[in-house]
Amino acid sequence: MTATITTEHGAADHSDDGHLTAWTWAEERGVRERLTDAAKLLGRVVGESPRLARAGADLAVELGKVTVGRSEVEPGRGDRRFADPTWTDHPGYHRLMQGYLAAGNAVDKVVEDTDVSWRTKEQLRFAAGVLTSSLAPTNTLLGNPAAVKRAFETAGGSLRTGLGNWVDDLRHNGGMPKQVDDSGYVVGENLAATPGAVVFRNEVLELIQYAPSTAAVRTTPVMLIPPQINKYYFTDLAPGRSLLEHAVGRGLTCFTVSWRNPGPAQGDWDLDTYATALLEATDAVRQISGADELITLGLCAGGITTSTVLSYLAEHDPGRVRACSFAVTLLDWNSPAAIGAFRSKRILAMTRKKGKKNGVLDARSLGSVFTWMRPNDLVWNYWVNNYLMGNKPPAFDILAWNEDKTNLPAALHAQFLDMFEHNILTRGGAVEVLGHGVDLSAVKIDNYVVGGFSDHLTPWQGCYQSTQLLGGDSTFVLSPTGHIQTPVSPPGPKAHYFTGPKPGPDPEAWRAAATKQAGSWWDHWADWVIARAGDERPAREELGSDKFPVLGAAPGTYVHQPA
């Protein structure tokens, strides 16, 4: 049964849709079921659109042009599915491509013209993306001329290899095409390889201190807090692509948190658990560095946890953190975003129930949801490469890290879902941590916020709103990259970012006034930190202290715990 309500704008809101509920079990359903769900949702909601008849007529006209060879429909910029020259040179394939693209464009236009709330529209976009990407002719052997040529050139060898890849994925990867050949990556050798040591460990986290690489370092240390959803070493990928390595090279005394990978026995870990562990880590950082204060960098969900701890400290120990920074972190969930497709009471209730039953939200469920949000790039691209072309998936450090998944404790996951559903971090006192009502406006220290322009999970406009919630002086920086690429933005010839005026209420006004800067935001952030990190002092070769001796070499033990 589907509940339909009318919004304050009079638009039909299907956000509690029953069909879309099925998407939460992405790991339990096959491609056929997903396509059926998408078709049902689109058919029911879009079928009510008064624009449907007009769109059908326009599509009929365009298909007529395709048939007689007069259509001007072409793939969008960056659409690599139709890169093979056969799609241009062969009249039959050219018409097949144009017909498919015209139909997809018609579906997209009806979705965009449908008068519904932004959350329902995100659901429709999600369903349309899954449906149209799945029906691309390039996903079939005969509909993919590059795959046909490859099969001919290898006398069918590519198809035999592809069949083997498919069977292997059925047995070992939940039936999803593998995205990366991670056989050449070893954590601690060519990933998470910046020299350092574990200097503190509790049940929830390990604290890693990095060895200085400069003769002098700043007196105020920096502590990175990664999301609990991922392992920390996306901030320490291959040498030259490591934010931590870069920060150490700028003379910063750096520490990072490495979360324990929880299992069902840790299902009751909640915000209080993580906040307590973080406070213990800050004690260790201050004692080891000899500084009274530190500077934080919270990333994604790690930024959410950090913000609640900062609010707690603003009341109970305001001198512990001098300044804070956030990367790709949403504290205000009211900005339109693709993830809003999942903000349905039914979806969230089912997800809470599943997490409570299992003790954790398992890593595969999280990964599957994020994967199907970009089906062309993260599903069908590898379907074609691995199965139709018979190739190995590529070797890529980010994707190797992405495959190294983590669980999320049910209690913390439920609290994150409450923030997601009710946007309660924006309301003073609505979230409680360690008996303290969180009030972000009470965090009066300087803050630095970075968002990614093409980030589909935490859109930059939402990240920007943190500057309006936090009480201190704000700096906002926009990176031209996506959710993972933003933290992984090493300097290079093409690297750039945008800076602007003091952030006001309107993110688009800020963007209009922003200017492009050459280089990586890493250096802009490091300059911002250095301006607040005190004087230089000679770097110490020894890591840890008498009170917090070295417990082992980086990257420690928790990072190796499997999901």
Side-chain angles (χ1 to χ4, degrees):
M1 181 175 179
T2 300
T4 301
I5 60 176
T6 301
T7 68
E8 57 184 342
H9 305 294
D13 188 347
H14 302 263
S15 60
D16 207 12
D17 183 85
H19 295 309
L20 199 58
T21 301
W23 291 103
T24 49
W25 18 198
E27 82 287 7
E28 298 170 355
R29 299 174 64 79
V31 172
R32 181 183 299 176
E33 288 83 0
R34 296 186 183 110
L35 291 176
T36 301
D37 290 335
K40 285 181 178 177
L41 176 62
L42 283 172
R44 188 177 53 74
V45 179
V46 174
E48 302 170 1
S49 171
R51 310 293 177 87
L52 184 61
R54 176 60 182 273
D58 291 345
L59 176 59
V61 171
E62 191 62 44
L63 291 178
K65 292 180 180 178
V66 169
T67 302
V68 299
R70 293 183 178 178
S71 173
E72 296 181 355
V73 173
E74 296 294 339
R77 184 180 179 184
D79 189 344
R80 295 172 296 174
R81 295 174 297 174
F82 303 99
D84 189 275
T86 303
W87 289 110
T88 303
D89 299 339
H90 190 287
Y93 274 112
H94 192 64
R95 285 173 170 76
L96 177 62
M97 174 190 72
Q98 287 187 315
Y100 164 74
L101 293 174
N105 292 343
V107 172
D108 292 343
K109 189 171 191 316
V110 172
V111 167
E112 294 307 317
D113 289 346
T114 301
D115 187 17
V116 291
S117 70
W118 73 263
R119 294 185 188 89
T120 302
K121 186 157 289 188
E122 290 296 345
Q123 290 184 355
L124 295 175
R125 287 173 179 155
F126 178 76
V130 172
L131 186 66
T132 58
S133 66
S134 302
L135 296 178
T138 47
N139 298 336
T140 66
L141 176 61
L142 295 181
N144 190 321
V148 172
K149 293 178 198 174
R150 179 70 175 157
F152 178 77
E153 292 165 354
T154 61
S158 60
L159 298 181
R160 288 191 293 274
T161 303
L163 179 62
N165 293 340
W166 179 68
V167 171
D168 188 66
D169 285 338
L170 277 180
R171 296 177 60 195
H172 305 295
N173 202 42
M176 296 288 286
K178 197 171 182 182
Q179 298 175 358
V180 62
D181 176 9
D182 56 4
S183 58
Y185 294 103
V186 180
V187 174
E189 294 184 10
N190 53 6
L191 295 173
T194 299
V198 176
V199 292
F200 172 73
R201 179 185 295 127
N202 59 26
E203 190 181 13
V204 179
L205 61 81
E206 288 183 332
L207 181 68
I208 299 171
Q209 181 185 9
Y210 288 92
S213 61
T214 54
V217 297
R218 296 288 166 173
T219 54
T220 302
V222 177
M223 185 171 82
L224 272 67
I225 301 98
Q228 295 90 340
I229 298 171
N230 302 109
K231 293 189 175 178
Y232 83 92
Y233 64 86
F234 68 100
T235 60
D236 191 20
L237 291 175
R241 289 166 50 76
S242 165
L243 169 60
L244 281 160
E245 177 194 45
H246 192 78
V248 171
R250 291 295 309 272
L252 297 175
T253 301
C254 287
F255 296 77
T256 190
V257 164
S258 174
W259 300 112
R260 178 177 175 178
N261 202 346
Q266 290 79 42
D268 61 347
W269 286 6
D270 58 9
L271 264 180
D272 284 355
T273 310
Y274 283 93
T276 301
L278 278 181
L279 290 174
E280 292 175 1
T282 62
D283 286 337
V285 169
R286 293 193 304 166
Q287 199 281 331
I288 292 170
S289 63
D292 293 331
E293 300 174 308
L294 65 147
I295 296 171
T296 59
L297 172 58
L299 299 111
C300 193
I304 295 174
T305 309
T306 303
S307 71
T308 65
V309 172
L310 291 173
S311 175
Y312 172 86
L313 289 174
E315 178 181 350
H316 295 278
D317 191 0
R320 184 177 298 213
V321 178
R322 177 175 294 183
C324 58
S325 43
F326 299 89
V328 292
T329 297
L330 276 185
L331 303 178
D332 182 346
W333 289 88
N334 208 33
S335 297
I339 195 71
F342 298 92
R343 200 152 92 176
S344 155
K345 291 180 180 178
R346 286 172 180 259
I347 291 176
L348 298 176
M350 176 176 282
T351 306
R352 288 187 183 94
K353 183 177 180 181
K354 182 177 179 180
K356 188 175 182 180
K357 177 183 177 182
N358 298 333
V360 295
L361 182 66
D362 65 281
R364 177 163 289 175
S365 293
L366 281 170
S368 185
V369 168
F370 294 145
T371 293
W372 281 98
M373 291 178 71
R374 294 174 58 196
N376 272 336
D377 292 335
L378 300 180
V379 179
W380 299 114
N381 174 43
Y382 298 104
W383 175 282
V384 171
N385 179 76
N386 302 1
Y387 306 156
L388 300 185
M389 303 298 288
N391 296 325
K392 281 186 175 182
F396 190 25
D397 56 2
I398 291 179
L399 292 176
W401 160 82
N402 191 51
E403 284 294 298
D404 191 7
K405 301 182 186 303
T406 59
N407 300 321
L408 199 60
L412 181 67
H413 181 229
Q415 289 175 306
F416 281 165
L417 289 181
D418 286 342
M419 296 177 194
F420 175 51
E421 182 177 8
H422 304 295
N423 202 26
I424 50 179
L425 263 180
T426 63
R427 306 202 306 263
V431 175
E432 189 170 290
V433 62
L434 302 175
H436 162 82
V438 173
D439 179 3
L440 298 181
S441 67
V443 181
K444 303 291 187 184
I445 55 179
D446 292 351
N447 62 81
Y448 182 104
V449 178
V450 60
F453 184 76
S454 55
D455 187 339
H456 67 296
L457 290 178
T458 56
W460 74 269
Q461 296 93 335
C463 297
Y464 178 94
Q465 292 304 326
S466 297
T467 66
Q468 307 303 297
L469 294 173
L470 297 164
D473 186 65
S474 296
T475 299
F476 183 77
V477 170
L478 182 60
S479 172
T481 44
H483 188 67
I484 300 302
Q485 291 84 3
T486 295
V488 187
S489 297
K494 296 182 180 179
H496 63 278
Y497 59 96
F498 296 86
T499 60
K502 182 178 176 62
D506 184 359
E508 297 299 341
W510 180 93
R511 181 187 170 195
T515 56
K516 183 177 178 179
Q517 310 292 337
S520 167
W521 71 268
W522 286 4
D523 280 315
H524 187 268
W525 169 77
D527 290 339
W528 182 89
V529 171
I530 288 170
R532 292 158 179 80
D535 296 331
E536 287 186 320
R537 61 170 172 77
R540 296 185 319 197
E541 292 186 4
E542 301 81 13
L543 301 180
S545 66
D546 291 341
K547 184 175 181 179
F548 296 101
V550 169
L551 302 176
T557 59
Y558 284 179
V559 75
H560 294 294
Q561 293 175 329

